[in-house]
Amino acid sequence: MIIRQLVYLDALAREKHFRRAAEACHVSQPTLSAAIVQLEEELGVLIVERGRRFQGFTKEGEVVLAHARRILAEAEVMKDSIAELREGVSGRIRLGAIPTALPMIAHITAPFSERYPAVSLTVLSLTSQEIQQGIDDFELDVGLTYLDNEPLDRVISKPIYQESYVLLTREDGPFGARDTITWAEAAEQKLCLLTGDMQNRRIIDGIFRSVGTAPRPMIETNSIFNLCSHAGIQGVASIVSLQLLEFFGVPLGTRALSLVEPEAQRTIGLIVADRQPVAPLARNLLMMTKPVTDAGLPRRPIVR
């Protein structure tokens, strides 16, 4: 068994197509197919379901794939550790962030890039479930996600900031003269909310349930920017994170009302895989990132 065979197997799992997997590995399709057949012969199991096209992995193949990804990840850690000793910190970090945390990413990436200019960062907007899966499958190095709502598995975490919530509504609407609104009152409005695959939406639904009510979303979106733009429509209001507005400002013609009864918060932080040794780049990012307090946020007026 050689590392190259495992690279081909991982590419096939990602591409789900022999030709595309071969192109991703810069080899011919027969070369990739022959390497996987050789791996099957060495292990004495069928890894790939046979057919005219890729049909998936056998049960044994899924086990082989999981171990292959672990071996490839460990090989990368080994190379990065050696490179760190010889050349200092360099390489690439793949960071997945939940959409509501995207305005805060620069607080993490900017100081890290300044300290380690030889490291490149790739930031992806993903759901919390996709981040957990990416960490599990060795496709992400670091995640920025909720820490205290839905359970996380096999990770090391570090709290970064507290997310809080406001109702964004037109300033010439019925609540334009107010500074606060209760969750029970907000439930009666025509709302624009994130889609149900977003943990932010599941958090908001849970808060509504805690006060014995449920929202009536008029519009659902997977974009935090659509939340802001739809709040400018007559008769529609959005629930957004306070941090989003502190970073980008309140959209023209709207007003942000603090949501109270209860005053809810959730912790957002960094996660890395709980594997030893921790990958050098992920370890350095985790160690040097400091919690972000309200005093450290770029302040913009929240109300007009």
Side-chain angles (χ1 to χ4, degrees):
M1 187 190 307
I2 60 174
I3 292 293
R4 180 59 59 184
Q5 290 171 310
L6 305 184
V7 170
Y8 294 164
L9 188 66
D10 180 54
L12 182 58
R14 285 185 283 103
E15 300 294 339
K16 296 179 174 55
H17 192 281
F18 280 96
R19 178 180 56 78
R20 292 199 299 269
E23 291 174 350
C25 295
H26 307 290
V27 298
S28 67
Q29 182 173 329
T31 297
L32 182 139
S33 298
I36 292 177
V37 169
Q38 183 183 8
L39 182 59
E40 290 177 320
E41 292 174 350
E42 291 178 7
L43 296 176
V45 296
L46 189 66
I47 295 175
V48 180
E49 296 283 3
R50 293 297 188 264
R52 296 186 61 184
R53 59 183 63 185
F54 177 76
Q55 296 179 348
F57 293 94
T58 64
K59 291 182 178 180
E60 295 84 355
E62 293 289 350
V63 173
V64 173
L65 176 63
H67 283 280
R69 284 174 164 167
R70 187 171 296 111
I71 292 169
L72 292 173
E74 291 296 337
E76 285 299 316
V77 170
M78 178 184 67
K79 289 189 289 186
D80 289 344
S81 298
I82 294 171
E84 185 177 12
L85 290 173
R86 290 181 172 178
E87 307 162 8
V89 180
S90 62
R92 179 171 70 97
I93 289 183
R94 300 159 298 177
L95 192 158
I98 54 173
T100 58
L102 290 175
M104 306 298 291
I105 281 289
H107 291 281
I108 297 169
T109 57
F112 185 81
S113 294
E114 183 177 358
R115 183 169 179 179
Y116 301 114
V119 178
S120 62
L121 294 101
T122 299
V123 178
L124 302 174
S125 176
L126 302 169
T127 67
S128 58
Q129 293 172 342
E130 289 171 335
I131 291 171
Q132 175 75 73
Q133 193 64 51
I135 295 289
D136 289 343
D137 291 345
F138 305 92
E139 294 177 353
L140 291 176
D141 302 300
V142 184
L144 183 63
T145 186
Y146 293 104
L147 301 185
D148 58 356
N149 188 58
E150 296 176 355
L152 294 163
D153 297 320
R154 303 171 299 278
V155 298
I156 300 169
S157 63
K158 182 176 184 178
I160 300 300
Y161 71 96
Q162 295 292 315
E163 180 180 81
S164 52
Y165 311 100
V166 298
L167 184 82
L168 192 62
T169 185
R170 283 176 64 105
E171 60 184 6
D172 60 357
F175 300 106
R178 293 175 56 173
D179 295 326
T180 65
I181 187 171
T182 68
W183 285 90
E185 289 175 311
E188 299 301 316
Q189 310 309 307
K190 294 179 180 178
L191 296 172
C192 176
L193 300 174
L194 290 176
T195 51
D197 61 326
M198 301 288 181
Q199 191 171 168
N200 173 271
R201 171 62 184 280
R202 298 193 292 275
I203 288 171
I204 287 172
D205 286 350
I207 299 170
F208 278 124
R209 285 195 301 270
S210 74
V211 296
T213 187
R216 299 180 299 171
M218 180 180 180
I219 301 166
E220 294 181 304
T221 178
N222 63 358
S223 166
I224 57 174
F225 303 106
N226 277 335
L227 289 179
C228 293
S229 62
H230 280 98
I233 299 175
Q234 187 69 45
V236 179
S238 298
I239 295 178
V240 303
S241 73
L242 178 63
Q243 289 72 26
L244 174 66
L245 300 184
E246 286 180 326
F247 193 84
F248 290 108
V250 178
L252 185 65
T254 65
R255 185 178 180 86
L257 313 180
S258 296
L259 279 158
V260 297
E261 300 180 23
E263 296 182 3
Q265 291 186 327
R266 292 295 183 274
T267 303
I268 291 179
L270 292 173
I271 62 172
V272 299
D274 187 8
R275 308 183 188 104
Q276 297 300 325
V278 177
L281 294 180
R283 181 192 67 234
N284 287 326
L285 181 64
L286 194 67
M287 288 176 58
M288 74 162 291
T289 301
K290 298 179 180 179
V292 178
T293 63
D294 286 344
L297 290 171
R299 309 298 293 191
R300 292 180 184 271
I302 303 304
V303 296
R304 286 184 168 81

